[in-house]
Amino acid sequence: MVVASISGCATVGDQEGAAAGVAARLLSAVEAGDGDAACAALAPETAKSVAEDEPCPEAILDKSLPRPGQVVETSVYGQWAQVKLTDDTIFLAAFPEGWRVVAAGCTPQASRPYDCSVEGD
Amino acid sequence: MKRFLRENGIGLVFGVLFLIVLVGQAFAGLAQFNDAQRASGLPDIAFWRYVTSASFGVDVAENWQSEYLQFFLFIILTVWLLQKGSPESKSLDKPGRETDKEQKVGPYATPESPKWAGAGGWRTSLYSNSLGLVMGLIFAGSWLAQSIAGVAAFNEEQLSERQDPVSWGQYLLEADFWNRTLQNWQSELLAVASMAILAIFLRQRGSSQSKPVGSPHDATGVEG
């Protein structure tokens, strides 16, 4: 898939790989019960939203995120990426430190935005 | 130098204004883009990243394609279409491609004529249509560029709204592509129609785009 770079000379393939890596890191951390690592993969606004009622490292483990599956497709467009896995769809955005998860646990809805169990306000 | 500036004023002034305005558009577009970034809780992007983005690309290309379409249509259609009293029209007795003698091609080319005007064959045919051809090709290229940058910018927005991206082929059927295209086309067509009609009755003393002030309203094919 196409488009503009996150870092000046990263190729689209590099970016897709990096985005897929962060998405997998989130789900692997949740599966391992490592809330700190899972929250480190989230975008600041998303982490803040998750931590509304209890600290993020605890709350993220209660969000019923699926186990990490195979990456089916990765799309990168400008500042945004989407990683489709066998059991989840994850949306990411570009930050100076790399890709961060903006929404996870997303299920498609006909002609409407995905419904996500983890996302910012 | 002074003579060069005097003899090339139109190209130079419009070229410089184009660059100034393009830079202005880049800064305004960057500010708007970063407003949207902040609203989504995302960091600002740098100027150079913005001017190489699909978002800036589609905004530039959609305007370019419509401008070149306007000139392409104007150049081609005014071979046959006339407008009584308009300085944008040829005189009413000259619709069509005109004779070789009137166009100074082939055996009627003069020593001062461009070389391919007198060359005959495909070279004269190509040169006889070169202005419309080049404008048409730039239009087609800009429109293609709009569609390519447009699908990327559209998909960036789709992802930011938690929706699936679309392919280039699907984008050509999207409302975004046609809204961007048609909103530019309508304004260009209105501008041409207004210019052709208003110049029948109104004057701008000294302008190459106006009839002389004292010319009658029904004088056609006269420029100041």
Side-chain angles (χ1 to χ4, degrees):
Chain A
M1 306 255 162
V2 208
V3 168
S5 60
I6 283 196
S7 65
C9 48
T11 67
V12 172
D14 290 343
Q15 292 182 45
E16 289 178 357
V22 173
R25 207 163 74 215
L26 168 69
L27 298 184
S28 299
V30 170
E31 186 185 34
D34 185 349
D36 286 319
C39 287
L42 299 179
E45 289 291 318
T46 307
K48 203 167 121 189
S49 174
V50 169
E52 220 157 36
D53 298 323
E54 54 182 335
C56 181
E58 291 160 34
I60 190 72
L61 301 179
D62 298 333
K63 292 292 184 184
S64 308
L65 288 177
R67 301 175 61 180
Q70 292 274 340
V71 173
V72 177
E73 187 181 1
T74 303
S75 306
V76 172
Y77 290 97
Q79 306 302 300
W80 289 86
Q82 180 196 48
V83 179
K84 286 188 172 182
L85 300 117
T86 39
D87 299 315
D88 195 6
T89 296
I90 292 181
F91 291 88
L92 304 97
F95 286 82
E97 56 275 21
W99 292 106
R100 290 293 178 268
V101 173
V102 171
C106 301
T107 48
Q109 305 186 95
S111 306
R112 293 182 54 210
Y114 278 72
D115 184 31
C116 304
S117 63
V118 171
E119 67 181 330
D121 290 327
Chain B
M1 182 66 178
K2 206 172 167 183
R3 185 176 166 192
F4 177 81
L5 293 175
R6 179 182 139 83
E7 292 181 354
N8 294 280
I10 297 174
L12 287 170
V13 167
F14 278 89
V16 169
L17 286 175
F18 159 71
L19 292 175
I20 292 170
V21 173
L22 185 65
V23 170
Q25 181 193 342
F27 278 105
L30 173 66
Q32 187 186 13
F33 191 93
N34 280 336
D35 280 347
Q37 284 281 104
R38 276 178 235 130
S40 301
L42 303 181
D44 286 3
I45 64 167
F47 179 79
W48 288 112
R49 187 170 301 164
Y50 176 69
V51 295
T52 55
S53 72
S55 181
F56 181 63
V58 68
D59 286 350
V60 170
E62 74 174 47
N63 284 284
W64 286 14
Q65 59 89 357
S66 65
E67 300 300 335
Y68 283 99
L69 174 67
Q70 175 197 49
F71 280 114
F72 169 70
L73 288 179
F74 199 48
I75 291 162
I76 299 299
L77 294 182
T78 53
V79 173
W80 294 279
L81 300 181
L82 305 168
Q83 183 65 55
K84 186 176 180 182
S86 178
E88 302 300 330
S89 168
K90 299 193 286 188
S91 60
L92 299 177
D93 57 347
K94 285 189 173 176
R97 292 170 52 79
E98 303 178 21
T99 63
D100 285 357
K101 191 175 180 182
E102 286 168 321
Q103 287 290 315
K104 297 181 187 168
V105 294
Y108 302 101
T110 67
E112 292 79 32
S113 296
K115 208 174 163 189
W116 280 27
W122 67 270
R123 283 176 295 183
T124 299
S125 292
L126 183 63
Y127 191 66
S128 298
N129 295 289
S130 54
L131 185 58
L133 203 60
V134 168
M135 288 294 186
L137 285 173
I138 298 176
F139 156 66
S142 304
W143 201 20
L144 179 65
Q146 178 199 325
S147 73
I148 293 169
V151 69
F154 181 76
N155 281 340
E156 192 170 359
E157 210 174 306
Q158 286 285 100
L159 295 188
S160 76
E161 293 167 355
R162 323 276 187 270
Q163 298 191 72
D164 284 326
V166 300
S167 68
W168 179 73
Q170 289 169 318
Y171 179 66
L172 297 186
L173 302 174
E174 283 288 342
D176 182 80
F177 176 67
W178 286 103
N179 184 37
R180 283 179 180 276
T181 296
L182 296 177
Q183 67 174 292
N184 283 284
W185 286 3
Q186 58 86 8
S187 64
E188 301 306 334
L189 296 172
L190 175 67
V192 170
S194 310
M195 182 68 192
I197 303 294
L198 291 176
I200 297 171
F201 308 103
L202 306 177
R203 306 286 185 270
Q204 187 63 51
R205 184 170 179 159
S207 173
S208 65
Q209 303 306 301
S210 167
K211 294 191 281 192
V213 180
S215 283
H217 292 334
D218 61 0
T220 309
V222 184
E223 291 191 343

